[in-house]
Amino acid sequence: MQKLDRSGIATSIVGTMGIPAVNGAPVAQQAVTMPFGGQVGVPGSVLPMQVLAPTVAEPIGTPSECLVMKNMFDPATESDPDFDQDIKEDVEEECSNFGRVKHIFVDKNSAGYVYIRFDTIEAAMKAQRAMHMRWFARRLVSALFMPTYEYDAKFKS
């Protein structure tokens, strides 16, 4: 996944920052604004100037040869007009470790969606396990199975 990290900081939070109060890493108190109003403190946060909202468990779906990776990028912050090609090449290189990749599409106008179709369900399952809940460019990525009929409807004319 470090290959996919264009910012050069794809490492685990604990591995980079340390465990608070165990190996000298600072214990921070940050506030998170809740959707219903007010703020809640997040003790022990070790991310400087970055607050992580609680993650909502999203079902990973029924295994198929198709995946959608979410939260890979923010199009509003991308300055390179061809950023999608860089992401496509990086994802293809990483995902080819799990099996043959038949198709990849980076949706530049989405919330960081990358669609991937593998040759087999087994390859997609390996990729999903390896990529789900991994960090990329300071973003927590989710890799979810996509039904084949939805993938076909989206990409076949």
Side-chain angles (χ1 to χ4, degrees):
M1 199 59 153
Q2 288 177 344
K3 290 179 185 177
L4 291 176
D5 182 16
R6 294 172 290 137
S7 68
I9 51 176
T11 58
S12 70
I13 298 168
V14 174
T16 302
M17 299 281 191
I19 299 171
V22 173
N23 62 359
V27 176
Q29 177 81 20
Q30 296 177 341
V32 174
T33 302
M34 301 304 287
F36 49 83
Q39 292 187 337
V40 176
V42 181
S45 175
V46 295
L47 288 177
M49 300 185 335
Q50 183 177 2
V51 177
L52 298 175
T55 57
V56 176
E58 187 172 14
I60 62 168
T62 303
S64 75
E65 65 269 11
C66 306
L67 292 177
V68 59
M69 292 176 61
K70 297 182 177 183
N71 202 34
M72 288 287 292
F73 58 89
D74 179 359
T77 61
E78 295 292 341
S79 57
D80 181 4
D82 294 326
F83 76 90
D84 59 321
Q85 288 302 317
D86 293 336
I87 292 174
K88 180 180 178 178
E89 290 169 5
D90 290 345
V91 168
E92 186 167 21
E93 183 179 343
E94 183 72 18
C95 286
S96 65
N97 294 322
F98 307 109
R100 182 173 168 265
V101 176
K102 292 174 68 173
H103 178 257
I104 295 180
F105 177 75
V106 178
D107 188 349
K108 290 173 76 167
N109 302 311
S110 68
Y113 288 20
V114 178
Y115 298 89
I116 309 159
R117 184 173 196 153
F118 288 87
D119 201 21
T120 65
I121 293 174
E122 292 76 20
M125 290 172 63
K126 289 178 190 174
Q128 190 280 330
R129 280 192 299 268
M131 304 296 229
H132 189 61
M133 303 308 286
R134 297 275 304 268
W135 290 94
F136 173 70
R138 292 187 179 183
R139 304 176 73 78
L140 187 60
V141 174
S142 59
L144 310 173
F145 291 107
M146 183 175 190
T148 305
Y149 67 89
E150 284 182 22
Y151 197 95
D152 289 342
K154 186 167 189 67
F155 296 109
K156 291 191 178 180
S157 36

